Amino acid sequence: MKIDLTDTTASKINKALVEGRRAIGTPAVGMVLTMVIVTDEENAYDSIRAAEEASHEHPSRTLVVIKRHARTPRDRTASRLDAEVRVGADAGTGETVILRTYGEVSDHAASVVLPLLLPDAPVVVWWPVNAPENAAKDALGALAQRRITDMYAVEHPLEALELRARSYAPGDTDLAWTRLTPWRSMLAAALDQARVNITSAAVESEAENPSAELLARWLEARLGVPVERVVTEGPVVTAVRLGTANGEIVIDRPEGPLATLTLPGQPSRTLALKVRPTSELIAEELRRLDADEMYAVALRGEGTEENS
């Protein structure tokens, strides 16, 4: 069910949500959080689709904030809020409100979003593109327990990484880090099996890859050894090599969804290591809303040294 509202207010949107739920017989009590997506018109469709797919695991109210730019100077000074309310099958397992702001109301989007938040439920803000320099100090980011950015969406990701490191606050995370979860799990499992001291390390990836840089910094912090960055043709991270006195521990994924794990003195084995869609990354981030301490370690390249 979809309800279109033109030149509206937050109170009218809340009323439309109640009417929509009543019409389809769906209560709001099953929703566990509010997801706020701040995006542009170009990226809105993909972002909404990813959030709706993630809502099958985390039923939520999704508020999509799209700041529109008027074409004429007169229209730019006029404030207006349009909304599209989706409930039922049109909104995954939760409900979705698409907010299009015009004029001065675009500068005060937090005041529009605040009355629409689910009471007594956590808030997550996700910027698929055009994230603020300091997410925690952004007006919308300040409402959230979890703030999700994506360094893959910027022109110079390694510069963005340094900016994230300087402005990090508990609750910040980035999908460039989330993409590394399978790599980190496999490396931890490989080191548990090998039980050897690591003497050297290298991360291989395409140039300017933020996930590869985060992985290298995390390994440096956790293993206490320098990590070489090796540029390959990609795609994304292609291999991690850990040197030991007995030989190399290698996870190699040159392309495709499969990787090869090689341990000293053991036959190679094939492992699943696919590139996951955005919906899976968002669903993973919504499973825990506390501070991601390992992300902070990876950003800054410092932490408790742990040579496995």
Side-chain angles (χ1 to χ4, degrees):
M1 181 177 182
K2 295 182 181 180
I3 303 171
D4 290 319
L5 301 171
T6 303
D7 197 8
T8 188
T9 63
S11 61
K12 292 179 181 178
I13 295 169
N14 264 321
K15 183 179 179 181
L17 284 167
V18 173
E19 291 175 351
R21 288 197 302 270
R22 185 178 298 144
I24 63 173
T26 303
V29 293
M31 289 180 286
V32 297
L33 59 89
T34 303
M35 163 78 85
V36 180
I37 304 174
V38 187
T39 186
D40 54 22
E41 204 70 65
E42 179 182 356
N43 294 279
Y45 175 83
D46 289 338
S47 304
I48 294 169
R49 184 174 179 181
E52 288 178 352
E53 290 178 7
S55 75
H56 291 287
E57 183 177 337
H58 309 278
S60 59
R61 173 177 290 179
T62 302
L63 306 176
V64 185
V65 180
I66 303 174
K67 297 180 181 181
R68 298 294 300 270
H69 300 283
R71 296 181 180 179
T72 65
R74 180 180 178 181
D75 290 340
R76 292 189 195 109
T77 59
S79 294
R80 193 176 94 226
L81 172 66
D82 294 343
E84 179 184 324
V85 177
R86 301 178 182 178
V87 294
D90 291 310
T93 59
E95 52 193 23
T96 300
V97 181
I98 302 173
L99 304 165
R100 290 182 171 89
T101 62
Y102 300 81
E104 292 183 2
V105 72
S106 294
D107 297 326
H108 304 283
S111 63
V112 175
V113 167
L114 187 60
L116 300 176
L117 301 179
L118 289 172
D120 303 319
V123 178
V124 177
V125 178
W126 171 32
W127 293 269
V129 293
N130 302 324
E133 292 187 0
N134 191 324
K137 292 187 177 180
D138 178 81
L140 285 168
L143 301 175
Q145 286 74 41
R146 193 73 154 182
R147 296 169 292 274
I148 304 172
T149 54
D150 192 354
M151 286 181 269
Y152 275 78
V154 302
E155 186 175 357
H156 302 291
L158 297 190
E159 292 180 11
L161 192 154
E162 298 302 335
L163 189 62
R164 300 275 180 270
R166 291 195 296 270
S167 64
Y168 173 81
D172 291 355
T173 193
D174 195 281
L175 295 186
W177 175 245
T178 318
R179 292 180 178 94
L180 291 173
T181 300
W183 282 93
R184 294 166 54 210
S185 298
M186 287 188 181
L187 286 167
L191 290 172
D192 283 343
Q193 292 180 57
R195 294 290 180 180
V196 291
N197 289 330
I198 305 303
T199 57
S200 64
V203 173
E204 301 179 4
S205 76
E206 62 190 5
E208 294 283 310
N209 184 277
S211 291
E213 180 61 24
L214 287 169
L215 183 57
R217 295 186 182 193
W218 177 70
L219 288 171
E220 284 177 340
R222 305 304 288 170
L223 300 176
V225 298
V227 176
E228 182 183 4
R229 281 75 160 169
V230 179
V231 176
T232 65
E233 293 183 0
V236 295
V237 180
T238 55
V240 175
R241 303 179 185 276
L242 305 178
T244 77
N246 301 325
E248 277 194 330
I249 298 171
V250 181
I251 298 179
D252 186 23
R253 186 191 62 184
E255 59 182 353
L258 299 178
T260 301
L261 170 63
T262 304
L263 298 174
Q266 298 184 28
S268 299
R269 68 191 77 170
T270 301
L271 305 171
L273 191 57
K274 67 175 183 176
V275 176
R276 297 181 294 165
T278 304
S279 58
E280 289 188 21
L281 304 178
I282 292 297
E284 178 185 327
E285 284 301 328
L286 298 183
R287 289 179 199 135
R288 51 172 293 180
L289 301 179
D290 55 336
D292 191 340
E293 296 178 357
M294 285 299 99
Y295 172 60
V297 168
L299 270 180
R300 297 165 177 165
E302 59 188 23
T304 303
E305 293 187 357
E306 183 178 286
N307 200 325
S308 300

